[in-house]
């Protein structure tokens, strides 16, 4: 099969690994992240990976928590990478059937920037695409993915089709993704979904960049506040 050539040069992607393990401890989540980043890099996408737990990220829902009583907050540095990226992939493990505490903290900090606006007057994350990767050795991949993708679309990210992938072993104690004999790296279902997710992220990011982002009509907060209703029919005036 001959692949059609695509040029994704100029696109930038950020993967935030929400493992609970600090570097240099091996991260099973990173093993799945590596599959996607290798495809993107091969296609000319500039990729950056951040392991959130390696940083002193303050708790809160403001862009910089140093302005709200915290002495240290590394999130503003990570937020610069978020804003520089066309593609954001949040990756993390399953604990107790849900996303990790680090993943939830990243959600909260992303939400802290959702009130900001881009140059078109739209919410800041418009025109960017998002996806997620989930690992674990218990059930919950789809539940965790739903939470991540809902969070991303709610704050303004565009979610391509099939924008999630994951791997779990047998329910209960057992090998993790990178453990010898787990079958994780060889799992065709996971490898296919991760590959499809990666390409869909690149395709939609390229489409949005070519189109200049999401059209700035019907979604401008300042227009609504000024009285423009974008064809919304107010029942009080019927």
């Amino acid at each position: 099969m001959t692949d059609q050539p695509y040029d994704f040069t100029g696109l930038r992607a950020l993967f935030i690994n929400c493992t609970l393990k600090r570097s240099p401890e091996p991260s099973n989540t990173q093993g799945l992240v590596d599959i996607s980043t290798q495809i993107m890099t091969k296609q000319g996408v500039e990729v950056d990976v951040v392991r959130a737990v390696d940083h002193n990220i303050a708790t809160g829902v403001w862009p910089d928590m140093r302005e709200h009583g915290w002495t240290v907050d590394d999130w503003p540095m990570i937020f610069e990478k978020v804003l520089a990226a066309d593609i954001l992939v949040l990756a993390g493990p399953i604990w107790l059937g849900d996303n990790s505490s680090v993943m939830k903290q990243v959600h909260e900090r992303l939400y802290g920037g959702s009130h900001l606006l881009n140059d078109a007057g739209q919410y800041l994350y418009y025109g960017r695409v998002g996806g997620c990767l989930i690992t674990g050795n218990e059930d919950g991949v789809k539940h965790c993915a739903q939470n991540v993708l809902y969070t991303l679309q709610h704050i303004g990210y565009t979610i391509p089709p099939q924008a999630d992938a994951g791997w779990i072993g047998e329910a209960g104690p057992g090998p993790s993704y990178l453990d010898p004999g787990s079958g994780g790296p060889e799992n065709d279902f996971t490898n296919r979904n991760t590959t499809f997710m990666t390409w869909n992220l690149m395709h939609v990011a390229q489409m949005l960049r070519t189109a200049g982002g999401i059209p700035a009509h019907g979604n401008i907060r300042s227009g609504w506040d000024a009285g423009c209703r974008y064809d919304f029919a107010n029942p009080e005036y019927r």
Side-chain angles (χ1 to χ4, degrees), residues 39-85:
I39 295 173
M40 287 192 185
T41 300
K42 187 179 295 185
Q43 295 300 319
V45 179
E46 184 178 339
V47 177
D48 198 0
V49 180
V50 170
R51 190 181 293 204
V53 75
D54 287 343
H55 301 273
N56 291 319
I57 300 175
T59 299
V61 288
W62 294 100
D64 189 344
M65 292 306 299
R66 292 172 298 184
E67 300 174 357
H68 298 271
W70 289 76
T71 57
V72 178
D73 186 10
D74 288 348
W75 179 255
M77 174 187 65
I78 299 173
F79 192 51
E80 290 181 5
K81 298 178 183 292
V82 171
L83 297 185

Side-chain angles (χ1 to χ4, degrees), residues 66-171:
R66 292 172 298 184
E67 300 174 357
H68 298 271
W70 289 76
T71 57
V72 178
D73 186 10
D74 288 348
W75 179 255
M77 174 187 65
I78 299 173
F79 192 51
E80 290 181 5
K81 298 178 183 292
V82 171
L83 297 185
D86 305 285
I87 300 168
L88 176 64
V89 179
L90 301 184
I94 302 169
W95 289 109
L96 299 173
D98 210 338
N99 284 302
S100 72
S101 57
V102 177
M103 177 71 83
K104 301 303 291 185
Q105 184 183 42
V106 169
H107 287 186
E108 290 163 355
R109 297 311 303 273
L110 286 168
Y111 181 74
S114 63
H115 66 289
L116 303 174
L117 305 177
N118 64 19
D119 292 339
Q122 301 164 309
Y123 290 116
L124 188 61
Y125 300 122
Y126 273 44
R128 309 165 194 270
V129 302
C132 71
L133 295 168
I134 306 295
T135 60
N137 59 4
E138 55 183 296
D139 197 11
V141 169
K142 292 181 179 179
H143 167 75
C144 291
Q146 288 173 31
N147 179 244
V148 175
L149 297 180
Y150 171 79
T151 297
L152 290 175
Q153 69 81 27
H154 182 74
I155 63 177
Y157 278 87
T158 298
I159 308 301
Q162 297 181 316
D164 67 293
W167 180 88
I168 51 172
E170 293 184 9

Side-chain angles (χ1 to χ4, degrees), residues 4 8 15 18-19 27 36 48 69 73-75 83 89 96 104 133-135 214 220 228 231-232:
Q4 179 179 345
F8 297 114
F15 289 71
C18 297
T19 177
S27 161
S36 185
D48 198 0
D73 186 10
D74 288 348
W75 179 255
L83 297 185
V89 179
L96 299 173
K104 301 303 291 185
L133 295 168
I134 306 295
T135 60
I214 300 292
I220 303 297
C228 181
D231 293 331
F232 166 74

